[in-house]
Amino acid sequence: MKRFLNSKLFRFRFVRFGMVGVFNTLLDWAVYFSVLVALSDVHKILFVETDTWARAAGVGVGVTSAFFLNSRWVFKDNGYHNHFFDDITWQQKSSIVFTSYVKFIASYALGMCMSILTYTTMKRFHVDELPAHWGLGLLSKLPALVTSTAVSAVGNYLFLKHFVFKHKVKVHS
């Protein structure tokens, strides 16, 4: 497995980023459906529908997993974790991780905004769907879905690379 993950294809950071995205989407959905099934007899918790709680749980687990996989596997060569082996305290390490996690959440929020803006723009200019006579039903929306996802992924990747997981300066105690 290690040899496979070290192959030439996976040396490309964007490919690793895409793989993390696919994995975390599947993880998000698995948690969502697991919580939904577990709460199938319950309709509301604290005045909120259980499917909303399930969605929140899925997103929370998926984004947290994405943070750790991106920081350790995708952007490890940015030097992000290099100073973790320096002589710094646990509190300093925790502070670095927390700050990066908050930036990561901001990055994903920005990516979501980019996706929605792209989708809405394509819809406004009527380039969001394939012709109706093709008979694809909901699949006719693929152009807008694929384009908005791609714009979001590229923007999110660049934001993570240059803002969240950029090379850190050594922390002096």
Side-chain angles (χ1 to χ4, degrees):
M1 180 71 162
K2 187 174 183 177
R3 184 177 175 162
F4 173 72
L5 292 175
N6 288 331
S7 67
K8 286 185 180 184
L9 176 64
F10 298 114
R11 290 189 185 140
F12 293 105
R13 199 181 289 156
F14 193 75
V15 171
R16 294 190 310 249
F17 175 76
M19 289 180 63
V20 166
V22 169
F23 171 77
N24 286 301
T25 298
L26 295 175
L27 179 63
D28 172 352
W29 293 353
V31 170
Y32 168 75
F33 285 113
S34 299
V35 171
L36 206 55
V37 167
L39 298 174
S40 62
D41 294 337
V42 181
H43 297 292
K44 289 187 179 185
I45 299 174
L46 298 174
F47 308 106
V48 178
E49 287 80 15
T50 53
D51 62 329
T52 303
W53 286 110
R55 190 70 199 110
V59 169
V61 169
V63 167
T64 300
S65 172
F67 170 73
F68 287 107
L69 289 173
N70 277 304
S71 69
R72 295 302 263 167
W73 189 46
V74 177
F75 295 101
K76 65 181 178 179
D77 53 349
N78 268 25
Y80 174 72
H81 284 282
N82 289 352
H83 61 275
F84 275 41
F85 301 105
D86 293 344
D87 191 24
I88 63 174
T89 66
W90 183 84
Q91 287 87 1
Q92 289 170 317
K93 289 178 187 179
S94 297
S95 175
I96 291 166
V97 170
F98 179 76
T99 301
S100 295
Y101 187 70
V102 169
K103 288 179 181 179
F104 188 82
I105 297 297
S107 170
Y108 268 72
L110 180 65
M112 186 173 29
C113 290
M114 290 169 56
S115 180
I116 291 168
L117 180 64
T118 302
Y119 187 89
T120 304
T121 302
M122 290 181 74
K123 189 173 177 87
R124 168 76 73 198
F125 289 106
H126 306 288
V127 292
D128 62 320
E129 57 187 326
L130 298 170
H133 68 272
W134 287 9
L136 296 174
L138 289 177
L139 291 178
S140 67
K141 294 289 189 181
L142 278 176
L145 185 61
V146 169
T147 303
S148 63
T149 300
V151 167
S152 171
V154 170
N156 200 8
Y157 173 79
L158 293 171
F159 194 71
L160 291 177
K161 179 180 178 183
H162 296 292
F163 181 64
V164 179
F165 298 120
K166 68 181 180 184
H167 182 69
K168 307 288 186 202
V169 179
K170 277 191 174 183
V171 177
H172 298 289
S173 42

